[in-house]
Amino acid sequence: MNIIITGGAGFIGSHVVRLFVNKYPQYKIINLDKLTYAGNLANLKDVEDKPNYKFVKMDICDFEGVYKLMQDEHVDGIIHLAAESHVDRSIKDPFTFAQTNVMGTLSMLQAAKLYWESLPEKWEGKRFYHISTDEVYGALEMTHPEGIKPPFTTKASSGEHHLAYGEKFFTEDLKYQPHSPYSAAKASSDHFVRAFHDTYGMPTIVTNCSNNYGPYQFPEKLIPLFINNIRHRKPLPVYGKGENVRDWLYVEDHARAIDLIFHKGKIAETYNIGGFNEWKNIDIIKVVINTVDRLLGRPEGQDMDLITYVTDRAGHDMRYAIDSSKLQRELGWEPSLQFEEGIEKTVRWYLDNQEWMDNVTSGDYLKYYEDMYAGR
């Protein structure tokens, strides 16, 4: 198979590219990425010379370019991850999010449609897999603010620390109720993907995933930002009282789910991917502080004084919680790590890769690739 992975230089995308390149040497993996601020080819140094890997610098909104690439590379499948994803940025600049997340997805869909329809086999053996977010569902009530022991059993939810904060969870049949420009743009893109199946018969799949964490995440997101700030004794800005709840999933577990769904998921289905692993933001922050302090040889909890409460984000959803039982039941996937294990691995990675963090926070990685593509 020849597979385009869009956004493959980003956080989740780079993990998916690495998995597919290493696991499927018989595939050709084309990493299509515009290399915005969140795209970094240093994330893929370990696979960039593999014979089955190719990088193409391109904007997904470039319909003509994408269509020609599909023809030139005889593309069989698309795993579409490219998106603007930071809620705070979407509040300040909703136009960019609509352009990339909606029009970019439509560009990819139309290019795939025209190319695949031109082939003798048409849709046979083809697949358009769109990765979305749990934020399209809106927010859940906090009916148990102090948490309750969950009524489910998975590796990631069996520990005493993994509590549910309400009886309801996001399921695949829930009505969409996006509350931010980011989630509204992702919701719209989801609708376009499903419409291309219903209208044209395109073989599509959509997944909605909970918050990811792990290596190579751009440090505007909570966990890598706070790890870096703790290391340098900088303030840790916490929205509101830190009471908002999120379901967390280690990024490599998400990549494994994407692999499984791409190969064995049912066409036209939606699958939720989550860890059954709810944490209040303030509790996550305390775990990160204790872990960083311990690994840096500081007294555990020393840096709790860095926590600084700031004005809450506009329209800040209180609780997200994914029900991924359909994926577990039908395809046999489940998270492999408990949160404490994943956080330990994540903190160690960022502390051991300070050069990567310094290049990202300084912006040096952007200049490197600008010079590369300018021929200098």
Side-chain angles (χ1 to χ4, degrees):
M1 297 184 73
N2 301 321
I3 300 170
I4 288 176
I5 299 177
T6 69
F11 168 45
I12 299 172
S14 63
H15 286 275
V16 177
V17 167
R18 179 179 296 102
L19 175 62
F20 273 68
V21 168
N22 288 328
K23 186 174 179 180
Y24 302 106
Q26 73 275 28
Y27 291 179
K28 182 174 185 180
I29 304 302
I30 302 117
N31 174 7
L32 190 161
D33 200 297
K34 184 182 177 181
L35 293 184
T36 62
Y37 76 94
N40 187 353
L41 288 177
N43 297 354
L44 291 164
K45 280 286 186 184
D46 55 326
V47 299
E48 65 183 8
D49 295 324
K50 298 272 187 173
N52 63 330
Y53 171 74
K54 178 177 182 177
F55 172 71
V56 175
K57 187 176 187 293
M58 186 178 293
D59 187 342
I60 58 172
C61 294
D62 178 4
F63 167 74
E64 296 294 339
V66 172
Y67 182 43
K68 186 176 186 304
L69 180 66
M70 293 201 65
Q71 294 173 306
D72 291 346
E73 298 292 347
H74 308 288
V75 172
D76 303 296
I78 294 172
I79 301 176
H80 180 42
L81 292 118
E84 296 283 350
S85 66
H86 192 48
V87 175
D88 288 348
R89 289 178 183 263
S90 81
I91 293 170
K92 295 177 181 177
D93 180 18
F95 284 100
T96 295
F97 281 69
Q99 179 67 26
T100 299
N101 297 359
V102 183
M103 297 307 295
T105 299
L106 183 56
S107 171
M108 295 299 303
L109 285 164
Q110 183 70 355
K113 171 189 175 294
L114 293 180
Y115 173 59
W116 290 338
E117 282 186 336
S118 73
L119 301 175
E121 69 273 20
K122 294 191 183 299
W123 307 120
E124 185 180 348
K126 306 301 185 286
R127 185 157 294 198
F128 190 107
Y129 178 2
H130 176 66
I131 285 82
S132 188
T133 172
D134 58 356
E135 296 190 38
V136 298
Y137 296 120
L140 295 166
E141 290 185 40
M142 286 261 289
T143 52
H144 302 291
E146 301 306 316
I148 58 171
K149 291 186 179 180
F152 35 71
T153 302
T154 71
K155 288 181 182 177
S157 64
S158 58
E160 286 296 314
H161 296 292
H162 302 288
L163 307 178
Y165 292 89
E167 296 93 344
K168 293 185 178 180
F169 296 83
F170 293 142
T171 56
E172 288 84 354
D173 57 357
L174 271 185
K175 174 185 175 183
Y176 275 22
Q177 297 186 38
H179 292 155
S180 70
Y182 162 60
S183 56
K186 288 300 290 184
S188 179
S189 67
D190 294 4
H191 291 321
F192 267 109
V193 173
R194 295 190 180 101
F196 265 64
H197 172 268
D198 294 347
T199 304
Y200 307 112
M202 179 183 285
T204 64
I205 293 178
V206 175
T207 56
N208 300 87
C209 191
S210 60
N211 282 29
N212 280 213
Y213 70 97
Y216 299 110
Q217 188 170 27
F218 192 80
E220 66 185 355
K221 300 298 178 78
L222 187 148
I223 289 176
L225 172 67
F226 280 29
I227 292 171
N228 198 45
N229 282 12
I230 295 164
R231 179 174 192 143
H232 296 289
R233 290 283 302 163
K234 293 181 178 179
L236 307 178
V238 179
Y239 281 129
K241 297 180 180 179
E243 296 290 311
N244 303 72
V245 171
R246 297 294 182 262
D247 177 16
W248 291 88
L249 181 67
Y250 190 65
V251 64
E252 291 181 4
D253 282 334
H254 188 189
R256 287 193 306 104
I258 290 171
D259 174 23
L260 182 64
I261 293 164
F262 180 78
H263 288 96
K264 296 185 178 180
K266 295 179 182 177
I267 296 300
E269 287 288 334
T270 297
Y271 297 93
N272 282 346
I273 309 172
F276 283 123
N277 186 32
E278 294 182 59
W279 287 76
K280 288 183 180 179
N281 286 345
I282 191 62
D283 293 333
I284 283 228
I285 291 162
K286 290 176 180 177
V287 171
V288 171
I289 290 171
N290 285 334
T291 306
V292 174
D293 282 347
R294 175 168 49 79
L295 293 179
L296 287 179
R298 300 173 182 173
E300 196 164 303
Q302 169 186 297
D303 291 310
M304 292 291 177
D305 65 329
L306 297 176
I307 294 174
T308 305
Y309 295 98
V310 299
T311 303
D312 206 355
R313 168 193 285 163
H316 199 177
D317 292 334
M318 180 53 69
R319 174 176 172 252
Y320 302 152
I322 280 275
D323 181 352
S324 56
S325 58
K326 174 181 175 180
L327 178 58
Q328 293 179 319
R329 182 177 63 252
E330 295 187 6
L331 299 182
W333 175 91
E334 63 178 15
S336 66
L337 293 178
Q338 291 192 15
F339 185 72
E340 291 87 349
E341 296 176 88
I343 279 292
E344 183 87 10
K345 290 182 66 173
T346 299
V347 171
R348 283 187 182 278
W349 188 89
Y350 284 104
L351 294 181
D352 291 343
N353 289 272
Q354 189 62 37
E355 183 179 357
W356 179 92
M357 178 66 82
D358 290 342
N359 284 337
V360 171
T361 54
S362 69
D364 287 348
Y365 74 106
L366 289 172
K367 186 178 186 305
Y368 173 79
Y369 292 114
E370 286 169 1
D371 290 348
M372 176 189 296
Y373 286 99
R376 293 193 292 271

